[in-house]
């Protein structure tokens, strides 16, 4: 492996990059820098952002620049203003010790006169967006006759963004004796056309895809129901308390909607899309870049220019239609030697797309369950403990209060103090996460004994899912509790038994849902169901007495939205007139209390 010294770059450049911490060239730098320093001519570089390509072309160009000439010698085109500014910043830092080398970024939306004056005052490198560049050329106010290097950075993106005509015009107008360097993540037909029309026998330099092989990116898929997409984003954020990531959406409206919801739900999120003004976009990007915003909800185009190297997560709220876009998105994490996670939220209908993504990124996508409430609680807890470990103690700030506090806490032993602290921090979380429903879709074939149930399980308004396998047994039910069929003593119609269930309107339960649940549990569709009296938190329903006992037994060990279901025969008259008598509410309360010992082997479907 070579190092930067061996390339023959001048000392001033070596000093600057060494101060930036560049020790070992990246693969594209290793191939590109010696080539550009020693061989004139055109080059096509197939590499993505994050591979170190700015230095790969920037260092040889800086090495070549003649500071005594005040005319532009290199033009670098980039798809967005943000990327143009990023390239300019990078080249400025590489040229920190090169006397007399100056650069300018020119882009639309800023006064062109000032940019023209700046170029005329003498710059050797112009970094521009295509529209503004063409404008400068058409005005013939700037002398580009000495341009020796023309760089098309992210050529595929420039074409995707509709700059085809501008690129053609610029390539026609810059001196033909130039060296053209074209960089692109993909060799799509439009890019190939530019290479064949405007470049002379270009040397092709390819570096392995950022996401392939030994990738530092973990690709994860959560299979969900369509309506749960937003919930899943929240789960991801909740289970990664230090998340710093981008949520990619398809449309501006969706982008704004998701970010609004996230903010309303207390997350540190902002939207980035084309409906925002340039200054709004700058503001959001600045806040995100410096980490004040932790979740950026963005469209692909708006996020193009954003160059952040330490993202922990890229989340595909929807899969992009074009697989190459997946590569671009996921390549925004796991950069500069860091690890990153790309999570795609997909529904069953989209599942077939996984294979083509795997083929493109040449790595497998792991289908993982959406974190449950318990997992999230665990992670939050660990994050809290980690923070306690690393928090800096500012002695001088706390000193004045310390003795008072110590005195107040003196009587509490260490163990209790820890418990209290955790309880205090977590009371809000416990409340929220312990009630979280399972959002995972269980596919046919995954767990054969649950197949029918998962396909057909009725759901509440929020999509709550009835779950047979609660992990709780039926010991309690067959034990002390009186579950004898009292028949009509309960107020049921003749031939029916009256049954209690601890679900009601507040759970979003409708009579139709209840019938679905009964059918599901009993695996029979022909049991007659009589009157259903829906209460707020519980319901009484009547069942054909011949099957009632079997159905009640079948309900044991089941749960709904993570809550154990309690189903038993009504014990006294709970007929229509008396169904909301106080004693039943009380009984409901004692049931809950009893549930403390409600344990047993998980019950499997028969
Ligand atoms: P780029 O692909 O040009 O956007 O570069 C991605 C990031 O890697 C930038 O933050 C660069 O500063 C950094 N970088 C580029 N080359 C090297 C290198 N040889 N060693 C360490 N960091 C690098």
């Amino acid at each position: 492996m070579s190092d930067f010294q061996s390339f023959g770059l001048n000392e001033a450049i070596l000093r600057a990059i060494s101060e930036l911490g560049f020790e070992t060239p990246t693969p594209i730098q290793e191939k590109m820098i010696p080539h550009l320093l020693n061989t004139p001519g055109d080059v096509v570089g197939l590499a993505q952002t994050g591979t170190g390509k700015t230095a790969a072309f920037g260092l040889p160009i800086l090495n070549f620049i003649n500071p005594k000439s005040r005319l532009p010698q290199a033009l670098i085109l980039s798809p967005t203003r943000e990327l143009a500014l990023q390239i300019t910043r990078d080249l400025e830092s590489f040229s920190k010790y090169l006397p007399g080398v100056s650069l300018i970024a020119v882009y639309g939306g800023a006064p062109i006169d000032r940019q023209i004056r700046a170029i005329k005052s003498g710059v050797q490198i112009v970094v521009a967006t295509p529209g503004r560049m063409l404008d400068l050329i058409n005005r013939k106010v700037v002398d580009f006759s000495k341009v020796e290097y023309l760089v098309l950075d992210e050529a595929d993106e420039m074409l995707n963004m509709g700059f085809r005509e501008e690129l053609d015009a610029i390539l026609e107008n810059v001196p033909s004796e130039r060296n053209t360097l074209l960089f692109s993540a993909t060799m799509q037909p439009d890019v190939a056309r530019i290479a064949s029309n405007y470049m002379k026998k270009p040397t092709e330099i390819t570096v392995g895809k950022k996401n392939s092989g030994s990738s530092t990116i973990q690709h994860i898929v959560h299979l969900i129901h369509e309506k749960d997409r937003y919930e899943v984003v929240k789960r991801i954020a909740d289970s990664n308390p230090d998340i710093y990531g981008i949520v990619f959406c398809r449309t501006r409206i969706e982008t704004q909607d998701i970010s609004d919801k996230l903010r309303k739900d207390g997350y540190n999120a902002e939207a980035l899309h084309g409906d925002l003004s340039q200054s709004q976009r700058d503001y959001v990007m600045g806040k995100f870049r410096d980490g004040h915003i932790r979740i950026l909800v963005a469209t692909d185009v708006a996020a193009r220019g954003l160059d952040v190297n330490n993202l922990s997560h890229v989340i595909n709220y929807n899969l992009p239609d074009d697989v190459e876009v997946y590569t671009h998105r996921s390549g925004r994490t796991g950069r500069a030697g860091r690890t990153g996670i790309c999570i795609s939220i997909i529904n069953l209908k989209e599942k077939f797309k996984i294979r083509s993504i795997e083929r493109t990124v040449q790595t497998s996508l792991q289908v993982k369950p959406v974190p449950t409430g318990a997992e999230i609680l665990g992670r939050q807890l660990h994050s809290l403990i980690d923070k306690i470990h690393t928090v800096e103690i500012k002695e001088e700030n706390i000193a004045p209060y310390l003795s008072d506090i110590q005195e107040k806490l003196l009587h509490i032993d260490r163990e209790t103090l820890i418990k209290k602290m955790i309880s205090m921090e977590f009371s809000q979380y416990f409340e929220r996460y312990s009630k979280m429903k399972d959002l995972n879709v269980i596919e046919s074939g995954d767990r054969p004994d649950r197949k029918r149930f998962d396909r057909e399980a009725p759901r509440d308004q929020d999509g709550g899912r009835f779950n047979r396998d609660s992990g709780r047994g039926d010991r309690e039910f067959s034990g002390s509790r009186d579950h004898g069929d009292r028949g009509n003593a309960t107020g049921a119609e003749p031939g029916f038994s009256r049954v209690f269930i601890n679900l009601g309107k507040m759970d979003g339960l409708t009579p139709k849902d209840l019938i679905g649940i009964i059918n599901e549990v009993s695996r029979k569709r022909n049991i007659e169901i009589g009157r259903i009296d829906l209460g707020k938190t519980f319901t009484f329903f009547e069942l054909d007495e011949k099957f009632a006992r079997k159905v009640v037994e079948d309900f044991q060990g089941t749960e709904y939205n993570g809550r154990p279901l309690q189903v038993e025969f009504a014990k006294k008259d709970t007929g229509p007139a008396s169904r909301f008598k106080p004693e039943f509410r009380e009984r409901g309360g004692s049931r809950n209390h009893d549930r403390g010992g409600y344990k047993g082997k998980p019950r499997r479907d028969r």
Side-chain angles (χ1 to χ4, degrees), residues 4 21-22 24-26 29 48-54 307 309 336:
F4 286 103
F22 290 20
T24 315
T26 64
Q29 292 163 357
Q48 294 174 8
T49 299
T51 52
K53 67 180 160 59
T54 313
D307 197 59
N309 281 324

Side-chain angles (χ1 to χ4, degrees), residues 225 227-228 437-439 458-466 560-561:
H225 291 286
K227 59 170 185 46
D228 288 331
K437 64 190 181 197
D438 185 356
L439 299 182
R459 283 188 243 138
D460 66 11
Q461 284 165 347
D462 299 328
R465 177 160 285 275
F466 168 79
Y560 185 83
N561 276 352

Side-chain angles (χ1 to χ4, degrees), residues 4 17 20-29 33 47-57 59 83 86-87 90 93-94 153-154 210 307-309 335-338:
F4 286 103
I17 60 171
L20 290 171
F22 290 20
E23 286 169 10
T24 315
T26 64
I28 188 145
Q29 292 163 357
I33 296 174
Q48 294 174 8
T49 299
T51 52
K53 67 180 160 59
T54 313
F57 67 77
L59 300 181
L83 186 59
Q86 180 66 41
I87 294 169
D90 283 354
S93 52
F94 302 154
D153 195 15
E154 303 208 355
K210 188 77 177 53
D307 197 59
V308 180
N309 281 324
R335 286 188 180 182
R338 295 182 180 89

Side-chain angles (χ1 to χ4, degrees), residues 516-585:
I517 292 175
I518 296 165
N519 286 339
E520 187 62 31
V521 169
S522 64
R523 301 285 165 102
K524 280 188 178 200
R525 306 224 156 230
N526 53 357
I527 298 175
E528 212 173 324
I529 299 168
R531 179 182 193 96
I532 296 175
D533 292 318
L534 271 181
K536 257 191 188 169
T537 56
F538 58 86
T539 298
F540 287 101
F541 59 96
E542 294 176 358
L543 282 176
D544 180 339
E545 62 184 8
K546 290 196 289 298
F547 299 104
R549 179 178 297 278
K550 170 80 169 53
V551 173
V552 169
E553 281 175 7
D554 283 343
F555 262 107
Q556 305 315 304
T558 58
E559 63 179 40
Y560 185 83
N561 276 352
R563 193 146 59 90
L565 283 182
Q566 306 243 308
V567 176
E568 55 195 79
F569 288 103
K571 290 179 182 167
K572 56 165 94 168
D573 188 358
T574 59
S578 58
R579 66 183 182 270
F580 296 122
K581 271 183 186 169
E583 62 259 43
F584 285 101
R585 288 196 205 122

